[in-house]
Amino acid sequence: MRAFFYLATVLLSLFISACGGDYKYSNTVTPADRPTVTLILSQTRTIPIAVKGSDGQYHLVYELELRNVTQGSAVIEQVEVLDPEQDSVLASFSGQQIMDRLQLGGGGLPSTSLGLAQFAVMYLHLTFTDNNTVPLTLQHRIRAALEVPAPPEFALSLSEVSAVRLAPVAVLGPPMRGKNYIAADGCCKATRHIRALLPINGNQWLAQRYAIDWEQLDDQNRLFVGDAANVNSYHIYGNDVLAVADATVSVAVDGYPDQVPGGLPRGLDVADADGNHIILDLGNGLYVLYAHLQPGSIAVKNDDAVKRGQVIGRVGNSGNTTAPHLHLHVMDSPSGLIAEGLPYVFDNYRITGINLAGTEDFDNAELTGVPATITRIDPPTQHSNELPLDLTVVDWLNE
């Protein structure tokens, strides 16, 4: 107990001296095993896992927690991502680049400034040309301007080394049949899923890190034709939903009504967000969620064994949703929310187009029924064991 009290007293004296005393410090490099004061604490929330995207590149998506332990505010001026084994800088962020990625509390306002004892989450996405260039470890160097005067080296913080996983990810079969499915709010630039960090049951969870909202276009690139408030106007509504692998049903929930399209329902409890849904146990600690299914369509029950390609439900609009779609993601526990989202790939599909105009254009198409701006790819590209990236248009190649 005395040792901890002594250490705290020493640190306090450093702050007092830094604020106006005659504290002297050395500019020499500090050995790695020597204790050093770290005023901006940082750590990765989970172990990043590399996944191959439909662009042929390998993607790392993860979150960096930053905590200000000074007695005043701290402005984050630079965040660098390092490969400590290669002694190289993989990425560097400053100014608006930090503002675009850093959110107070993980889901609050964007900011570059952390107040007294405040924390924030920085959402990071790195790409690599192939799996051989994906680093085995990551480290982060944070430079901050401190409100409380301190020696210059105190403004520079280095995180502990974090591992990177290159293990194989879940390989899924087609979740539906047919063509012209668009991957809305997918990896890795869209933010609705990738930043859906939720405080639940005493912890924060990001189950939707790699989630995709699948919708379907017609030949004129429209998501629906007719009354926007009628679920039957949407091309995807009622489509069969298929088991993506031989699996066991962990959860099967039915009984929620379809919502009226056009806006999110009000007053919906977070526990009801997935609406009618199915969770399949893929084995090895992997689970896949199908959410917002049509009421009365759930064709399986808990503990059922299902085969790949088996019809297990139909696309609906139940739960927390603005329009009929199939929400799908992979996670590490049998809960759609109390879990960490994991990357996955589909084993056989082709890409026939992409919405280069972005999320705003897609949202307008979903709201109004006007055609989405799709750049067609001719000839279509074949893809195997890759994750379809945001706003790509996919044809499923069912067996």
Side-chain angles (χ1 to χ4, degrees), residues 118-378:
Q118 196 168 42
F119 88 98
V121 174
M122 189 166 180
Y123 295 91
L124 294 170
H125 168 221
L126 308 177
T127 58
F128 302 89
T129 55
D130 56 65
N131 61 347
N132 294 321
T133 61
V134 177
L136 298 177
T137 56
L138 296 174
Q139 195 169 31
H140 300 86
R141 186 162 54 207
I142 294 92
R143 184 180 298 278
L146 306 176
E147 179 183 7
V148 177
E153 67 264 32
F154 284 17
L156 188 66
S157 300
L158 198 64
S159 74
E160 293 185 356
V161 174
S162 302
V164 174
R165 275 181 55 189
L166 294 175
V169 301
V171 179
L172 309 182
M176 291 172 288
R177 303 187 189 95
K179 65 178 185 177
N180 266 3
Y181 290 97
I182 186 165
D185 291 316
C187 185
C188 299
K189 295 181 179 179
T191 61
R192 287 176 184 146
H193 290 143
I194 214 166
R195 298 190 184 186
L197 184 64
L198 301 177
I200 300 176
N201 291 9
N203 208 336
Q204 286 187 305
W205 307 93
L206 215 174
Q208 303 180 70
R209 187 180 286 111
Y210 292 94
I212 293 175
D213 284 343
W214 290 104
E215 299 196 37
Q216 189 177 32
L217 303 165
D218 66 8
D219 290 338
Q220 297 181 46
N221 300 326
R222 298 171 299 183
L223 295 168
F224 72 90
V225 175
D227 182 2
N230 185 342
V231 291
N232 293 289
S233 299
Y234 294 78
H235 302 303
I236 197 171
Y237 185 76
N239 284 10
D240 286 341
V241 171
L242 312 179
V244 292
D246 294 350
T248 302
V249 178
S250 287
V251 177
V253 175
D254 206 339
Y256 288 94
D258 278 327
Q259 304 290 352
V260 176
L264 291 173
R266 295 184 178 181
L268 191 71
D269 190 280
V270 66
D272 303 320
D274 292 331
N276 305 313
H277 65 280
I278 297 169
I279 297 175
L280 299 184
D281 182 351
L282 304 176
N284 299 314
L286 302 174
Y287 301 84
V288 60
L289 167 73
Y290 304 79
H292 314 308
L293 301 178
Q294 186 183 90
S297 74
I298 307 299
V300 294
K301 61 183 184 300
N302 291 9
D303 300 322
D304 279 356
V306 297
K307 292 292 186 181
R308 172 180 162 138
Q310 178 179 333
V311 176
I312 58 176
R314 293 193 297 273
V315 176
N317 195 47
S318 60
N320 192 47
T321 170
T322 60
H325 68 280
L326 175 64
H327 174 106
L328 186 142
H329 70 249
V330 172
M331 57 215 173
D332 63 1
S333 81
S335 169
L337 296 174
I338 306 173
E340 290 297 329
L342 301 174
Y344 54 95
V345 295
F346 292 101
D347 61 5
N348 196 17
Y349 63 95
R350 62 175 170 248
I351 292 179
T352 61
I354 185 169
N355 185 340
L356 296 174
T359 299
E360 184 176 351
D361 179 85
F362 174 84
D363 287 349
N364 184 55
E366 182 186 76
L367 181 65
T368 66
V370 300
T373 305
I374 304 298
T375 300
R376 287 294 170 180
I377 296 173
D378 190 17

Side-chain angles (χ1 to χ4, degrees), residues 86-108:
Q86 300 297 323
D87 192 26
S88 62
V89 177
L90 300 172
S92 181
F93 306 93
S94 61
Q96 188 62 44
Q97 295 172 320
I98 296 176
M99 178 75 78
D100 291 341
R101 294 165 174 80
L102 192 69
Q103 290 183 246
L104 298 178

